[in-house]
Amino acid sequence: MIYYAENFYQILREDENSQDRSWEHCYKVFHDARQDPEPDYDYLSLHLAFYLASWGMYRGSSFLTRKDYRIHIPVVQELLDSRYDCLFGLECEDLRKPEIQQALAGLESFMERYYEGVRNSCKGPVNSRISVTLITKVLIGTLGCVPAYDRYFTEGIRSQKTASGTYEISSLLCLANFYEENYEKLEKTRENFKVYDLNYPQMKILDMGFFGIGLACKQNK
């Protein structure tokens, strides 16, 4: 897992305009905005939209393609609420705290309701839930508190029997257990991973490593 994370980071560092740097830019501006008494919601929404586009959330028939970047402003405003300060750069061990789980669940619920409303305004009522891939990509891009549960990440954690591929607290706690069991090695790796003046969050290390494993599994098939 560490090999794939390091390889991912090295490739990113070799290309100053890599699409994966969109995550770094987004994470940094949301970090800075949490300390700004008058954050620029328009600017932050543009960053979030471009990052999501770079990470594949505007492809195909996605309802997001029907709207401009400002559709994310209510989500940005919610993300910057001080109730969620505890989620920024979250360390894995903190996931066991009830107040952390409650904050995460509350934020997820808000985003699901909001994006469902946006989707319904584009396509009419839809029975399926909003994609957890969208929700988790917003969370990792702005707070770094969970991995992005996309195709390759879930394939990676399933192949290693680390956690279920279903996004839920039990799966996140399994990932937290994995990080703690390999804490020294993972932290030694993480100290070399920088986004501007910040260290990559622990969940981003897991995201990169297991995504790489999942991609390798697909290529080997």
Side-chain angles (χ1 to χ4, degrees), residues 153-198:
F153 176 80
T154 55
E155 174 71 19
I157 58 176
R158 284 171 176 158
S159 71
Q160 302 301 300
K161 297 181 172 55
T162 304
S164 76
T166 302
Y167 179 65
E168 55 192 5
I169 192 61
S170 60
S171 181
L172 291 174
L173 289 174
C174 286
L175 292 171
N177 289 339
F178 174 86
Y179 201 99
E180 291 176 352
E181 289 167 2
N182 299 278
Y183 185 83
E184 290 188 7
K185 291 180 180 178
L186 289 169
E187 283 294 287
K188 185 176 181 180
T189 298
R190 190 169 76 96
E191 68 184 17
N192 297 316
F193 286 24
K194 297 284 187 179
V195 45
Y196 297 93
D197 55 341
L198 304 171

Side-chain angles (χ1 to χ4, degrees), residues 23 27 34 51 79 84-95 100-101 103-105 107-108 111 135-149 167 169 172-173 175-176 200-207:
W23 173 83
Y27 186 70
R34 304 199 80 81
Y51 149 72
L79 285 162
Y84 308 120
D85 287 349
C86 60
L87 298 179
F88 189 88
L90 180 72
E91 294 199 353
C92 289
E93 64 178 359
D94 289 334
L95 272 169
I100 295 294
Q101 295 183 19
L104 183 59
L107 181 53
E108 291 166 357
M111 288 195 293
I135 298 299
T136 55
K137 284 189 177 181
V138 171
L139 290 172
I140 193 174
T142 60
L143 296 170
C145 60
V146 300
Y149 273 63
Y167 179 65
I169 192 61
L172 291 174
L173 289 174
L175 292 171
Y200 272 42
Q202 293 178 351
M203 283 296 184
K204 178 60 175 168
I205 303 300
L206 295 177
D207 179 82

